[in-house]
Amino acid sequence: MSDQIIGLHRWFDSPPGRYLLAWEQARFDDAVADIFGYHSLQLGMPLLDGLRANRMPHQWLALGQEGFAAGAMSGPWAGAADADAVSAGGSVPPERRAIDLLTESVALPFAENSLDLLVLPHTLELSIDPHATLREVERVLMPEGRVVISGLNPASLWGLRQRRARLYQRLGKGHLYLPDVGEFIGYRRLRDWLRLLSFEVESAQFGCYRPAVRSTQWLDRFGFMDPWGEKWWPIFGAAYFVVAVKRVHGMRLLEPAWRTQRQRSAGTVPIANRAHTATAPAAPAAQPVARKRPASFKQHDKDRNTV
């Protein structure tokens, strides 16, 4: 895995790597500029500063195996090329951001619901377990917190060239265009993973529509394909950029269990029935009914009159 990580960072020093890195840096700057909170974390990819446009007071850069692969160097983290320069007696560029944590993405040293923003530039592609990484992100992220993810799109011209190069390698010839890292995760697959973890995809972008060429000259010649790709084939960009929000759904209040059936049925008369009762004709008054006296009482009265 360490060889793959070093290979990925070496590839970002190539013309197509710098082209992709510039596009991703612009997307990160736009996405995190208006995200507020107190604590933010970037996992991996120190060549890209995903938090430089963010204004949170506490920001950290955490590296996994790429941090150990660079060696026990003090000060700002250096990539593979900088590690060679240091071993040859050179120095690390001062503009590189200092590393704060050495940790794996599947086991973050943070409490639950403690971070407001997580930035994952190509972190899932380099993770030993992408599912566990996303579960860990969901654990440490606060409700309504955001995670920003970038990755290589397998459904693109670059992905097609990579698959063709792998086929040629089986025949004993050819070289890979993209670095030989873990499995590239497509956008739809990533979106399904996020939904299973109660994340809501807030925005998604695709970019880098130029063909898979290696030289800067040819990349510049195909610069017109970027605006064309955004208009005509937007989902086939070489990279994707996703912003997701952690949603925590509230509880539904249930009716009290002590409420009885008799109390539920008790209620006032509907207004319609009241109106019907007011307009209905009054019932006739009941006439008094004469009570019949028993025969014994009649005989008693007759005897009194006779006397």
Side-chain angles (χ1 to χ4, degrees):
M1 177 63 72
S2 60
D3 295 337
Q4 295 178 354
I5 294 172
I6 293 176
L8 176 64
H9 290 284
R10 289 186 183 275
W11 182 83
F12 273 106
D13 290 333
S14 64
R18 290 191 294 268
Y19 161 61
L20 175 63
L21 205 63
W23 181 83
E24 291 184 344
Q25 184 67 68
R27 302 289 82 75
F28 276 106
D29 292 344
D30 294 339
V32 305
D34 295 330
I35 299 178
F36 300 98
Y38 296 96
H39 305 92
S40 58
L41 176 68
Q42 176 177 337
L43 289 175
M45 191 56 63
L47 299 176
L48 187 148
D49 191 354
L51 297 174
R52 71 178 186 182
N54 189 259
R55 290 169 282 181
M56 293 188 187
H58 305 288
Q59 300 180 359
W60 298 286
L61 171 62
L63 301 183
Q65 296 187 19
E66 63 266 38
F68 297 100
M73 295 183 299
S74 60
W77 188 91
D82 296 334
D84 297 338
V86 170
S87 61
S91 60
V92 180
E95 64 273 7
R96 291 292 173 85
R97 183 174 181 176
I99 176 176
D100 300 300
L101 298 171
L102 284 176
T103 179
E104 290 295 340
S105 59
V106 296
L108 299 177
F110 294 95
E112 296 182 2
N113 305 326
S114 59
L115 299 179
D116 300 284
L117 171 64
L118 273 88
V119 174
L120 278 65
H122 301 278
T123 306
L124 299 179
E125 299 166 357
L126 298 175
S127 175
I128 56 178
D129 191 346
H131 295 272
T133 297
L134 284 179
R135 287 195 297 269
E136 192 70 2
V137 168
E138 190 274 337
R139 182 186 68 86
V140 302
L141 198 63
M142 294 185 63
E144 302 301 320
R146 284 169 172 78
V147 56
V148 185
I149 305 172
S150 67
L152 293 170
N153 184 18
S156 62
L157 296 177
W158 293 20
L160 290 176
R161 178 165 179 175
Q162 183 78 352
R163 287 195 291 270
R164 187 189 66 176
R166 290 188 183 276
L167 179 60
Y168 285 169
Q169 278 191 340
R170 295 178 183 176
L171 302 177
K173 56 182 179 180
H175 299 281
L176 295 178
Y177 179 74
L178 298 174
D180 187 13
V181 295
E183 182 183 2
F184 294 147
I185 302 171
Y187 165 70
R188 294 184 180 275
R189 186 179 177 187
L190 175 62
R191 184 184 61 183
D192 293 339
W193 290 359
L194 292 172
R195 287 179 176 176
L196 289 175
L197 293 173
S198 300
F199 281 98
E200 179 183 343
V201 177
E202 189 176 56
S203 63
Q205 302 179 41
F206 293 84
C208 300
Y209 299 95
R210 304 179 192 183
V213 294
R214 297 184 182 275
S215 64
T216 305
Q217 180 181 2
W218 281 102
L219 283 173
D220 294 339
R221 288 184 178 180
F222 287 104
F224 64 91
M225 294 188 66
D226 283 334
W228 285 14
E230 293 179 1
K231 182 177 181 180
W232 298 108
W233 54 90
I235 63 174
F236 298 114
Y240 58 82
F241 186 85
V242 178
V243 180
V245 185
K246 178 182 176 181
R247 300 296 189 190
V248 177
H249 301 286
M251 296 183 298
R252 180 181 178 183
L253 297 178
L254 301 178
E255 197 172 358
W258 47 262
R259 190 181 292 273
T260 61
Q261 183 68 25
R262 182 178 180 182
Q263 288 174 331
R264 290 196 193 97
S265 60
T268 58
V269 179
I271 297 177
N273 293 344
R274 290 180 181 177
H276 177 74
T277 304
T279 56
Q287 299 294 332
V289 179
R291 298 178 61 185
K292 296 178 65 176
R293 293 186 178 185
S296 57
F297 285 96
K298 293 181 179 180
Q299 186 65 30
H300 179 70
D301 294 339
K302 184 177 180 180
D303 296 338
R304 289 180 62 182
N305 294 333
T306 304
V307 175

